[in-house]
Amino acid sequence: MRPDLFEAPDYYNLDELLSEEHKLVRDAARQWVKRDISPIIEEYAQKAEFPKQIVKGLAEIGAFGPYIPENYGGAGLDQISYGLIMQEIERGDSGVRSTASVQSSLVMYPIFAYGTEEQRVKYLPKLASGEFMGCFGLTEPDHGSNPGGMVTNFKDKGDHYLLNGAKLWISNSPFADIAIVWAKNEEGRIHGLIIERGMEGFSTPETHGKWSLRASATGELIFDNVKVPKENLLVGKSGLGAPLGCLDSARYGIAWGAIGAAMDCYDTALRYAKERIQFGKPIAATQLQQKKLAEMITEITKAQLLAFRLGQLKNEGRATSAQISMAKRNNVDMAIKIAREARQVLGGMGITGEYSIMRHMMNLESVITYEGTHDIHLLITGLDITGHAAF
Ligand SMILES: Cc1cc2nc3c(=O)[nH]c(=O)nc-3n(C[C@H](O)[C@H](O)[C@H](O)COP(=O)(O)OP(=O)(O)OC[C@H]3O[C@@H](n4cnc5c(N)ncnc54)[C@H](O)[C@@H]3O)c2cc1C
């Protein structure tokens, strides 16, 4: 892969709205991606392997629990810093950002928000440092967009719970030390359980053959009469709202992350268009390529403003799930369209691993599907504005 020459576009001087802390956090993540991700990520994506050596660096830049308080090992940052970290990581690779999102929003967040003090103390510092890696099991083979239909269940056996069922498409599952698993009790109510690797009857087979998020490990979670200690139940919240609360946090991070992928595609395409000579002039001097590039920067700028305002609302505790859905849907769609256009600007070179664009484009096919599909987020907006559920 070529040297990383990335220069971040900031067409509307958004930097002026950021605090010194925001910029410090963002720049540290940006430097880390240039140094530790860009030189290796193409190779790991090609061989479909998660680069485990980056875990320590992710912890150091505050990507594991950016908004979790420092006394639990988190970085104690605000929501805009969290978003900026996700943006920078996804500028490198959506798979790496997925690993950080899962760890922060889908594993640390539920333990922090719904766990007991003992669970917080036991797990959060180790998750923040990367000593423990976690995964989040909601989706099942027959229940994706409709997780409320899940069949994974647990029964009260007096001194323990007995867990049975299976989860599919679980990021980080093949190497996770713990899993936050959503399952129904005997009354059919959804609860979260902390499952540890090594529990008898618990296995995590890897899913192979993905064309997308190849540098992120994905797998199953299988529970065959797993005995779960009662102290591993997340007691603070139950019902579908509990996992959906985690998804709100992760989807917010994705709304920022997708901007990173789009910025990288735009920046690469702009540089290439200025350098590539055809018909005796740079292709950047042609109207057709200018149209692509001008539309890209316009869409990126709109997405940046959407994410920034959402971050302000989130900092004030006022961001609604529907607002988060709108930003996730819009920004991922924006990024995938930019990746497709940017790839064309590079002609044949666009399909190679010399440049990051094709990898971003394939990664974004997962990002537009997970954490609520493009369709489902539209239906959430539809429900919010009409009052009618059309799922
Ligand atoms: C790489 C990757 C990583 C993932 N990581 C995780 C993870 O860590 N943890 C986890 O729990 N899950 C994870 N997922 C699962 C992901 O969240 C689901 O794939 C997603 O929710 C969609 O579910 P599904 O694939 O079963 O598709 P389905 O729900 O079967 O949907 C198929 C199609 O039908 C559409 N559709 C569904 N219902 C309706 C409706 N009512 N009206 C109109 N259209 C509809 C959808 O939009 C979609 O286009 C991951 C997925 C991928 C691909």
Side-chain angles (χ1 to χ4, degrees):
M1 208 176 147
R2 289 167 183 254
D4 183 353
L5 303 172
F6 177 69
E7 284 173 45
D10 182 15
Y11 204 73
Y12 264 34
N13 304 338
L14 204 68
D15 260 27
E16 291 172 12
L17 301 180
L18 301 180
S19 69
E20 284 311 307
E21 182 174 75
H22 293 148
K23 285 187 264 190
L24 273 173
V25 166
R26 192 258 328 261
D27 293 348
R30 187 170 290 170
Q31 290 312 318
W32 178 75
V33 167
K34 275 205 178 194
R35 197 190 63 219
D36 285 11
I37 298 299
S38 300
I40 60 131
I41 195 62
E42 182 63 30
E43 184 196 333
Y44 278 85
Q46 292 278 0
K47 58 184 185 186
E49 191 181 319
F50 172 67
K52 289 204 177 91
Q53 70 275 19
I54 67 171
V55 164
K56 192 165 170 281
L58 279 167
E60 280 167 7
I61 61 165
F64 294 157
Y67 53 86
I68 299 290
E70 286 170 291
N71 56 321
Y72 295 116
L77 298 166
D78 77 346
Q79 292 290 321
I80 291 176
S81 289
Y82 161 44
L84 288 165
I85 293 173
M86 295 299 119
Q87 171 188 287
E88 295 305 317
I89 298 176
E90 192 146 2
R91 208 278 298 171
D93 188 77
S94 304
V96 178
R97 199 268 309 134
S98 300
T99 296
S101 287
V102 168
Q103 183 89 340
S104 296
S105 294
L106 302 183
V107 179
M108 295 179 73
Y109 174 78
I111 293 174
F112 174 67
Y114 315 144
T116 61
E117 187 57 20
E118 289 73 31
Q119 289 166 343
R120 291 188 193 126
V121 170
K122 179 174 176 190
Y123 296 108
L124 291 178
K126 286 187 172 151
L127 290 161
S129 69
E131 184 184 338
F132 272 9
M133 292 300 290
C135 68
F136 175 89
L138 180 66
T139 305
E140 299 189 351
D142 293 331
H143 300 94
S145 297
N146 175 27
M150 69 173 65
V151 293
T152 298
N153 65 89
F154 62 98
K155 293 190 168 56
D156 192 332
K157 294 289 177 184
D159 63 341
H160 66 271
Y161 298 119
L162 201 62
L163 178 67
N164 278 290
K167 301 286 178 179
L168 187 66
W169 292 119
I170 308 305
S171 302
N172 299 357
S173 95
F175 57 78
D177 302 286
I178 65 167
I180 302 295
V181 174
W182 300 95
K184 284 182 178 165
N185 67 8
E186 283 141 296
E187 287 76 50
R189 186 139 184 100
I190 295 171
H191 287 266
L193 295 153
I194 306 172
I195 307 301
E196 297 191 16
R197 184 171 294 284
M199 285 182 177
E200 212 180 319
F202 174 42
S203 56
T204 61
E206 183 158 0
T207 301
H208 295 287
K210 290 181 297 166
W211 283 110
S212 175
L213 288 194
R214 288 170 62 82
S216 157
T218 314
E220 299 171 50
L221 303 175
I222 297 173
F223 315 105
D224 180 10
N225 285 319
V226 180
K227 277 187 179 180
V228 185
K230 287 205 152 169
E231 66 263 24
N232 285 28
L233 187 75
L234 295 175
V235 289
K237 191 162 179 176
S238 63
L240 192 58
L244 292 185
C246 308
L247 293 177
D248 267 356
S249 177
R251 290 166 176 171
Y252 166 76
I254 294 171
W256 281 89
I259 297 171
M263 290 200 306
D264 197 48
C265 293
Y266 163 76
D267 180 61
T268 304
L270 178 64
R271 187 168 300 109
Y272 191 88
K274 287 177 180 171
E275 289 169 2
R276 178 69 175 165
I277 309 291
Q278 289 295 291
F279 299 96
K281 61 180 181 189
I283 59 170
T286 67
Q287 287 188 354
L288 282 175
Q289 304 315 316
Q290 285 190 7
K291 177 175 187 292
K292 291 192 180 83
L293 294 163
E295 286 177 352
M296 284 181 212
I297 190 62
T298 306
E299 291 307 315
I300 287 171
T301 304
K302 284 153 65 179
Q304 285 172 324
L305 295 170
L306 195 63
F308 183 80
R309 176 62 185 144
L310 188 63
Q312 289 179 322
L313 291 172
K314 214 154 183 310
N315 274 342
E316 294 164 13
R318 293 199 292 139
T320 65
S321 299
Q323 287 171 332
I324 293 169
S325 278
M326 182 185 281
K328 190 269 184 183
R329 180 175 188 273
N330 181 79
N331 289 10
V332 177
D333 188 52
M334 169 283 299
I336 209 166
K337 285 179 178 150
I338 285 180
R340 288 172 186 153
E341 290 288 296
R343 200 216 59 70
Q344 291 192 56
V345 174
L346 270 68
M349 287 310 290
I351 70 148
T352 72
E354 285 269 302
Y355 295 91
S356 55
I357 296 176
M358 188 84 177
R359 179 167 44 79
H360 283 307
M361 194 172 107
M362 295 196 301
N363 282 341
L364 288 162
E365 292 291 343
S366 287
V367 181
I368 204 164
T369 294
Y370 70 20
E371 306 261 3
T373 68
H374 191 64
D375 296 329
I376 293 297
H377 286 299
L378 177 124
L379 296 177
I380 291 172
T381 307
L383 166 62
D384 195 46
I385 58 174
T386 68
H388 294 286
F391 299 98

